[in-house]
Amino acid sequence: MKYAYVYVLDTMADWELGLVIAELNSGQYFKNRGSRLPVKTVGASKRPITTKGGVTVVPDVMVDEIPHETAAILLLPGADRWNDPEHAPIVETAKQLLDAGGNVAAICGATAALANAGLLDKRKHTSNSLDYLTMFCPTYKGAAFYQDEQIVVDGNLITTSAAGSLLLAREVIALLDLFKKDTLEAWYRYFQTGDGRYFFTMMETMQEQEG
């Protein structure tokens, strides 16, 4: 069984991973009808954490309980507490996954955590801005690989800014090849624009799958 592992920590930005985890866990628009990619929350410990929105989350597993072969992807949210030493193990896990060909997606403050650990020194990436990384990441040496884009996919690594939650969801779904291409395009356009025509287009692509 494969899982989408979501790291949870105090002050995590609830909204940044909301769309992607809902689509992965529900599987409602997957091209393989009836399938899903279960989401498991991961913590530095089993103690409950409190998100920036005030939601309490009890981690399903601890970092050392993630078998790498079960990780379809590791999702890392933004948060104000990434500098706390207790989060070093999940950054090391991200490194191990990337080195082994596993998938990692990081948004906002999580990109700074990766940058501080040297994981972006030789990979194309983005973040809230290059100034953000150079200001908050004293050991960062990846400026030559920084891309001034909303989202960057470099092989098995996805990085984006605090404003990239919808783009993150699209690129994770594409990387894992979970939707038909036309379903994903219509899904993205619907949430991007709010235009109901895209919703009906998406539903049509689902009916075509069943036909």
Side-chain angles (χ1 to χ4, degrees):
M1 173 70 79
K2 292 281 190 177
Y3 298 94
Y5 288 104
V6 179
Y7 192 64
V8 295
L9 66 166
D10 285 322
T11 74
M12 71 174 281
D14 325 46
W15 61 93
E16 290 179 344
L17 298 181
L19 273 171
V20 67
I21 63 176
E23 296 301 349
L24 299 183
N25 196 65
S26 70
Q28 60 186 338
Y29 302 125
F30 279 21
K31 62 183 177 182
N32 295 325
R33 304 298 290 153
S35 64
R36 54 190 282 265
L37 182 58
V39 172
K40 281 196 174 185
T41 53
V42 183
S45 69
K46 285 291 185 73
R47 69 172 177 78
I49 66 95
T50 303
T51 70
K52 189 165 287 189
V55 177
T56 299
V57 179
V58 180
D60 295 315
V61 296
M62 292 171 54
V63 176
D64 60 4
E65 297 175 317
I66 303 176
H68 289 187
E69 63 272 15
T70 68
I73 194 164
L74 174 63
L75 301 169
L76 304 175
D80 300 332
R81 300 287 183 84
W82 271 111
N83 285 335
D84 291 356
E86 69 173 350
H87 306 307
I90 194 63
V91 177
E92 176 60 26
T93 295
K95 179 182 185 304
Q96 293 171 2
L97 282 172
L98 288 170
D99 289 346
N103 302 310
V104 175
I107 185 170
C108 190
T111 63
L114 298 185
N116 261 329
L119 302 190
L120 305 184
D121 286 353
K122 295 183 179 180
R123 293 181 173 93
K124 293 178 183 178
H125 61 279
T126 192
S127 182
N128 294 327
S129 70
L130 180 57
D131 288 342
Y132 170 81
L133 291 183
T134 55
M135 180 181 298
F136 293 106
C137 307
T139 60
Y140 172 62
K141 298 181 178 65
F145 292 87
Y146 187 85
Q147 309 285 301
D148 191 16
E149 304 288 345
Q150 282 189 287
I151 193 162
V152 171
V153 181
D154 186 5
N156 54 340
L157 173 66
I158 300 171
T159 52
T160 189
S161 72
S165 59
L166 177 58
L167 289 166
L168 181 80
R170 183 187 70 182
E171 296 304 331
V172 167
I173 292 166
L175 180 65
L176 300 178
D177 192 25
L178 300 174
F179 290 13
K180 283 180 58 183
K181 286 185 178 180
D182 53 354
T183 302
L184 180 56
E185 179 64 16
W187 177 90
Y188 174 71
R189 293 299 180 190
Y190 175 65
F191 282 101
Q192 181 190 45
T193 67
D195 188 331
R197 290 177 299 174
Y198 291 113
F199 178 81
F200 288 105
T201 298
M202 180 172 62
M203 291 297 98
E204 288 171 0
T205 69
M206 301 301 294
Q207 291 172 356
E208 290 169 3
Q209 290 175 213
E210 295 171 358

